[in-house]
Amino acid sequence: MFAKILIANRGEIACRVIRTARRMGVRTVAVYSDADAGALHVEMADEAVHIGPSPVGESYLRGDKIVAAALATGAEAIHPGYGFLSENPDFVDQVTAAGLVFIGPSAASIRAMGLKDAAKRLMEKAGVPVVPGYHGEAQEIVLLASKAREIGYPVLIKARAGGGGKGMRRVEHPDDFSEALSGARREAKAAFGDDRVLVEKYVDKPRHIEVQVFGDIFGNVVHLYERDCSAQRRHQKVIEEAPAPGMTPALRKAMTEAAVKAAKAIDYSGAGTIEFIVDASQGLKADRFWFMEMNTRLQVEHPVTEMVTGTDLVEWQLRVASGEKLPKTQSEIALSGHAFEARIYAEDAAKGFLPATGTLHHLKFPDTVPEGASMRIETGVRTGDAISPFYDPMIAKLVVHGKNRQAALEALGISLSQTEIAGSTVNTAFLAALAADADFSAGDVDTGLIGRHQQALTAVPPPSSEIVAAAALAASGAGAQAPTRDPWSSLAGYAHFHAMARRTRLRYGEDDILALVSMRPDGRFQVALDAPYDSALDLRAAPRLARWPGHVTVFSGAVGYSFAVPDPLARADEIAAGADSLRAPMPGLVKLVRAAKGETVIKGQPLLILEAMKMEHTISATHDGTIAEIATEGAQVTDGTVLVRFAEEAHG
């Protein structure tokens, strides 16, 4: 076994690897960028090495710096985590050329599966079923459009490199093919440096079911059953589970055998995942699944497999990479119970899942789960940490296990409802709504479920009078306490001898709220609210809430209602943002400008494309008008930057 390893990653996966290494007595070296100097993975590791500025291209994607850090600290091996360099065969060559061990598959195996088109041709030769489509080298638009017609619409354009939904477009009609192809190519080029694509038949009711495989250098390969990752938004996974609901013995046998066959075809060693698309339009059948791609690394959702098989896949990675045989044979690996993983992100679900930033002023996960269930939190952040625009905005993975799917689903809902995060917009309410969705609860899930139910899943009811009153009560004591203290304690004595009242102002969205807070002699608080609430409430018990600089967040189930608390001594500085301008919803790069100064545009017309988190976001006109100013291509913008300004006469 290794004495010391370096982890070429950050965030929750770096922390995850460190925990297992520590349990095994293996010392760890972390690497970090400027933005991560105070990160949790840096604190947890035995040593840490600075590798560059915050942009990934200058730090976490610099294989030379990472190898140099490993050599300088005496690490014997490098664990890549997922993302970044984890599936880069050139990096594997760098590692091995330096006399180090790459904790993962060989460069040859990664190359074999690294490009979707070549991988599918290889799988066809190995007898693994592949989805109908064009996987050739030629990339002329006329040829691709012709192949799309042959396959039959709808089709799916997919980047041949990378994953995560980047460079992917569904096309319903031939007239939309050219535009979709251009967008997929741009996004693929930005994310993977490769704009080549493949075209496949779009399955009507697709289930995304994947099989965890594991191999060693002695030619042994086993599977650890399947995971269902069909709950996706924008082609990115949201809630994963194991085993797959509705899985039949015949399909499981066919799918796991195909996965093992695929891994053996490339002499695979280490942790890997074979991803299949399953046509669920007529139920799960053994002849209705096709190979999509192989992820030659540990998956984000690996904890659900660990929960249902009682394994530590990171430990297996370390053991296999150090030259040991697989810890278990196929007959020794059994399924037990059911597990879910919910990915908690800093994002605004109601605004199309736009990534968010901010500081996690309050971060609290559940302490308990229902009897008979278990839970684990995988995170790389703490209270006070910032969500950086440079990296994926994941906050945590909440993983639960129960004796069956219903028990695990109940534990998931309760755990999400008890999670408290303040300081950034997060998706906990959306996750809870998805977990409670009737189709999801019944196991009737496919990759289009979220899209079909998106409006209902992302709708957040307005705060009740009780929630507003609680926020006002907490805000009324703001001047007498530090933000991290219990906001109720400072109020307990301010009307000790006689009734007093305190005026408090709040802002929720576009609403200005005026409240009058007083304390009765019997210890109850009374909060009188102006329009639109027009109510007076008596409060005694403290709800779940967090007070943070300039804000109060009140938690109701999985929803966090955040209220701004204006400083009464500060000068009101209203910045007009009205209908005469469009502002950047997040930090990003102006990738493409489709309109010009002086041009007359119509409502809904695409004006420019903003790239953030390696994804493209279209900014469209909110009304008819004439453009007075528009951002330039290549401009880096911050959250709130004016991208488009309309002439004053543009609307009326």
Side-chain angles (χ1 to χ4, degrees):
M1 182 49 61
F2 307 115
K4 182 189 291 188
I5 65 171
L6 180 142
I7 303 162
N9 218 295
R10 64 176 300 280
E12 66 89 12
I13 187 57
C15 296
R16 163 75 186 89
V17 175
I18 290 170
R19 284 196 298 273
T20 288
R22 180 183 295 163
R23 179 177 58 78
M24 297 176 67
V26 178
R27 293 179 60 81
T28 55
V29 180
V31 293
Y32 65 93
S33 67
D34 289 348
D36 282 339
L40 181 59
H41 76 280
V42 174
E43 178 185 294
M44 289 178 63
D46 297 298
E47 302 173 58
V49 179
H50 178 252
I51 54 170
S54 302
V56 294
E58 300 176 53
S59 51
Y60 294 108
L61 292 181
R62 288 291 301 273
D64 56 337
K65 291 186 176 183
I66 291 169
V67 170
L71 294 173
T73 55
E76 303 157 78
I78 294 179
H79 193 300
Y82 53 71
F84 294 144
L85 295 169
S86 62
E87 294 181 283
N88 186 318
D90 294 335
F91 176 61
V92 180
D93 287 337
Q94 278 184 287
V95 172
T96 55
L100 302 168
V101 176
F102 180 77
I103 302 175
S106 67
S109 293
I110 295 176
R111 286 191 175 98
M113 289 295 193
L115 298 176
K116 295 183 180 69
D117 52 357
K120 289 182 178 181
R121 292 195 295 269
L122 177 63
M123 290 299 98
E124 284 181 307
K125 291 180 181 179
V128 177
V130 300
V131 66
Y134 173 71
H135 310 128
E137 291 288 341
Q139 293 287 300
E140 293 80 8
I141 184 172
V142 174
L143 173 67
L144 294 176
S146 172
K147 293 296 183 181
R149 287 182 182 273
E150 289 178 17
I151 296 165
Y153 285 88
V155 299
L156 198 62
I157 300 173
K158 298 171 66 175
R160 75 168 195 162
K166 299 178 178 67
M168 184 180 293
R169 297 289 190 277
R170 177 181 175 177
V171 191
E172 297 283 351
H173 192 274
D175 292 346
D176 302 324
F177 187 83
S178 177
E179 180 75 11
L181 178 62
S182 297
R185 281 176 164 167
R186 280 195 308 272
E187 202 166 87
K189 184 70 173 179
F192 317 119
D194 185 344
D195 67 355
R196 286 169 288 183
V197 301
L198 48 85
V199 183
E200 293 180 342
K201 176 64 180 174
Y202 185 84
V203 179
D204 289 330
K205 190 176 181 181
R207 289 269 296 271
H208 179 135
I209 302 177
E210 59 191 32
V211 176
Q212 176 72 59
V213 293
F214 222 108
D216 63 24
I217 61 174
F218 303 100
N220 301 304
V221 177
V222 298
H223 70 80
L224 291 95
Y225 300 95
E226 80 281 352
R227 297 184 288 257
D228 194 304
C229 307
S230 301
Q232 301 179 8
R233 50 96 174 119
R234 297 173 63 175
H235 305 295
Q236 293 182 315
K237 301 166 186 175
V238 175
I239 295 179
E240 304 97 343
E241 60 181 300
M247 176 59 69
T248 66
L251 178 57
R252 176 173 289 146
K253 182 176 186 296
M255 190 174 285
T256 54
E257 286 179 353
V260 170
K261 186 185 297 183
K264 287 185 174 181
I266 58 171
D267 299 319
Y268 197 78
S269 176
T273 297
I274 310 296
E275 298 192 346
F276 296 101
I277 191 78
V278 181
D279 183 354
S281 60
Q282 300 176 19
L284 298 183
K285 296 185 177 181
D287 62 347
R288 303 294 290 171
F289 75 96
W290 302 280
F291 171 87
M292 283 200 302
E293 61 183 336
M294 182 179 188
N295 292 126
T296 52
R297 53 170 168 80
L298 198 66
Q299 291 280 84
V300 177
E301 59 272 19
H302 76 273
V304 294
T305 293
E306 294 181 323
M307 296 287 260
V308 297
T309 59
T311 57
D312 182 333
L313 295 181
V314 174
E315 178 181 342
W316 281 36
Q317 285 186 298
L318 297 182
R319 293 196 180 283
V320 166
S322 66
E324 297 182 21
K325 287 186 176 181
L326 287 172
K328 290 184 179 182
T329 63
Q330 190 65 67
S331 63
E332 295 173 314
I333 303 170
L335 279 172
S336 176
H338 203 98
F340 287 95
E341 173 184 284
R343 301 188 187 192
I344 300 176
Y345 277 97
E347 65 181 14
D348 193 335
K351 293 183 178 179
F353 304 101
L354 288 179
T357 56
T359 299
L360 301 175
H361 292 285
H362 179 80
L363 182 63
K364 181 182 178 183
F365 297 107
D367 298 321
T368 60
V369 291
E371 185 177 353
S374 60
M375 177 190 65
R376 64 192 255 195
I377 300 294
E378 300 285 350
T379 186
V381 296
R382 305 148 296 190
T383 298
D385 284 350
I387 302 299
S388 167
F390 294 104
Y391 313 118
D392 184 86
M394 179 185 286
I395 295 173
K397 301 183 307 194
L398 191 156
V399 190
V400 297
H401 179 270
K403 62 182 179 180
N404 53 41
R405 190 175 190 271
Q406 186 55 44
L409 191 59
E410 179 184 353
L412 177 65
I414 291 173
S415 298
L416 286 168
S417 70
Q418 295 176 349
T419 298
E420 300 176 5
I421 304 173
S424 176
T425 303
V426 295
N427 67 340
T428 49
F430 161 70
L431 293 172
L434 177 58
D437 177 83
D439 288 344
F440 187 87
S441 297
D444 184 15
V445 58
D446 61 82
T447 59
L449 184 148
I450 291 176
R452 292 193 300 272
H453 300 184
Q454 185 166 330
Q455 185 172 354
L457 293 174
T458 58
V460 176
S464 65
S465 296
E466 289 77 9
I467 290 171
V468 177
L473 182 54
S476 66
Q481 64 184 57
T484 56
R485 286 184 51 196
D486 172 15
W488 299 73
S489 60
S490 65
L491 293 168
Y494 80 70
H496 186 69
F497 297 108
H498 57 278
M500 296 177 64
R502 184 176 298 188
R503 290 174 69 87
T504 299
R505 286 190 177 276
L506 300 171
R507 175 177 281 271
Y508 182 77
E510 299 300 316
D511 295 335
D512 283 308
I513 303 167
L514 178 62
L516 196 64
V517 180
S518 58
M519 183 175 182
R520 298 178 179 277
D522 62 2
R524 289 181 299 163
F525 297 103
Q526 185 178 72
V527 181
L529 302 173
D530 277 358
Y533 298 94
D534 288 329
S535 60
L537 299 97
D538 287 350
L539 302 176
R540 183 186 297 273
R544 297 159 53 220
L545 58 83
R547 182 79 172 89
W548 46 288
H551 296 79
V552 170
T553 298
V554 181
F555 301 100
S556 176
V559 183
Y561 293 96
S562 291
F563 299 82
V565 184
D567 182 350
L569 301 178
R571 179 182 177 183
D573 184 17
E574 294 294 333
I575 301 175
D580 288 332
S581 63
L582 299 176
R583 296 176 181 264
M586 72 195 92
L589 171 72
V590 178
K591 190 72 174 181
L592 183 67
V593 175
R594 293 181 161 183
K597 182 177 179 179
E599 181 178 342
T600 299
V601 298
I602 61 174
K603 182 178 180 180
Q605 180 176 332
L607 302 182
L608 54 83
I609 293 176
L610 183 70
E611 181 186 275
M613 308 288 185
K614 296 296 184 184
M615 297 289 281
E616 293 186 353
H617 307 272
T618 300
I619 306 298
S620 301
T622 54
H623 53 74
D624 298 350
T626 302
I627 295 177
E629 298 176 34
I630 191 165
T632 57
E633 285 188 15
Q636 282 285 162
V637 297
T638 59
D639 186 8
T641 299
V642 174
L643 299 175
V644 181
R645 196 180 301 280
F646 294 95
E648 290 185 6
E649 69 278 11
H651 60 91

